Amino acid sequence: MSGDRSDLDLGVLLGAWMDDAAPPSIPVPVLEEAFARTMSSRQVRVYPWERLAGRPRRAQGTTAFALAATAALLVAVLAFGMLGGGFGVAPVPGPTPSPSPTPSPTAIPFSAFPPTPSPSPFPATPIVPTATVAALKAQSLGTDGKALWLLTETGSVARIDPATNKAGAGIQTGGTTDLYNGISVDKNGVWVTDWDTTTLFRIDPTTSKAKTIEVGPFLKGVLATGSAVWVAATHDGKVDRIDPATNKVVATIPVGPTGNSGPNWLGAGFGSIWVSVPNASAVVRIDPTTNAVQATIKIPVEVAACGSFAFTATDVWTQSCGGRPTMARIDPATNLVAAVIRPAGPVSGPNVINGAAWVSVDTSPAAPSYLARLSSRQDAVDLGLAPGPDFGGGGDLIVVAGSAWVIDGGNDRVLRLPLADFPPG
């Protein structure tokens, strides 16, 4: 999944508008002081008719203080509502998980994860690409560990040959108009969703022929695991499991409420299938043996729960979408969010390189974009790599054929990078 693929659902649009209209958070001491001052002051009402002739004017100091107290109260009430405190649109809880393991029961506030000091990744260490592949309107990358496949914004899928560093002829899988489509590759083929229809495409890599599988509307994330293909039905609040032997849906797992901004992207790790569900403010963990929900993990409000996943030896990493520069680190042993990471800009879906989680960070136009290593010890970015001064970050980062490959969307290309340039964490 590419980091610059904004989720255009209503819920995310409203979230972006709220971020622009008001600060994402107000310091707790400010709220406490405003509340204390307001409650301790004499509540004075000023009626319009008191401006009429013959009405005595209030003392100037009293009026000014009353106005200030009222303003402070309004700020406190607005902040309370924005942070989910009793009014406004609150996230709808996901389905009840199995008794074990136990998820976090409630939404996590901003203050639970204060900023963590960390070394600046700048200046980012320069690295030199070993090859450049022209890729007009590149959207996503997929691999089965052997071949590299490219999905473009036009719905075209092409195989990139690591021997020649060139993309083959495009295979059309349907029109892409809103960047919602997903791609995944396994031994059974190349799987591509089409948001605009009810179709999942299955491409035979040998014949380059595409077959269609009718699944349902608003298909987004797709994950092929060899024995199953998992598809996120965004507006239906469910994940569909498809048997690649029959191309039929064999299980449907509810993971959240129906409606806009439902299940987005998927990942496989720690013996589970993971799916991000923004309208439940949660990540849901599924048992692939029983198709049962193992846990519904509440995500802090600072992180938009609509990212993809990377799995290191001890952690699950997921990023915000919609341009929000935040990530979450989940402890799979407890099914709790262990930390919030705040890169310098929006990031791509995380990927593991040499044992560490890496993302592509988009810091343009303020600064050159770069690739960032995530540290679970510091809960921050601890190293940056710069694959050129004009690199446009935020695109998919993937490993195949002994190299790291990253989308450089601003320059319509895919860069091939040496794995030796990525130090382990």
Side-chain angles (χ1 to χ4, degrees), residues 15 21 27 59-60 89 98 114 121 154 221 224 252 272 285 289 306 328 353 362 371-372 384 394 403 406 416 419:
Q60 183 175 359
V89 181
S98 303
T154 62
T252 297
S272 301
R285 185 174 181 176
T289 302
C306 49
I353 304 177
D362 183 4
L371 305 177
S403 299
V406 64
R416 183 174 187 172
L419 284 181

Side-chain angles (χ1 to χ4, degrees), residues 133 135 141 147-150 158-162 164-168 405 414:
V133 182
L141 296 174
L148 178 65
W149 293 83
L150 169 70
R159 179 172 181 168
I160 297 177
D161 185 353
T164 62
N165 295 316
K166 293 183 179 179
W405 305 73
V414 174

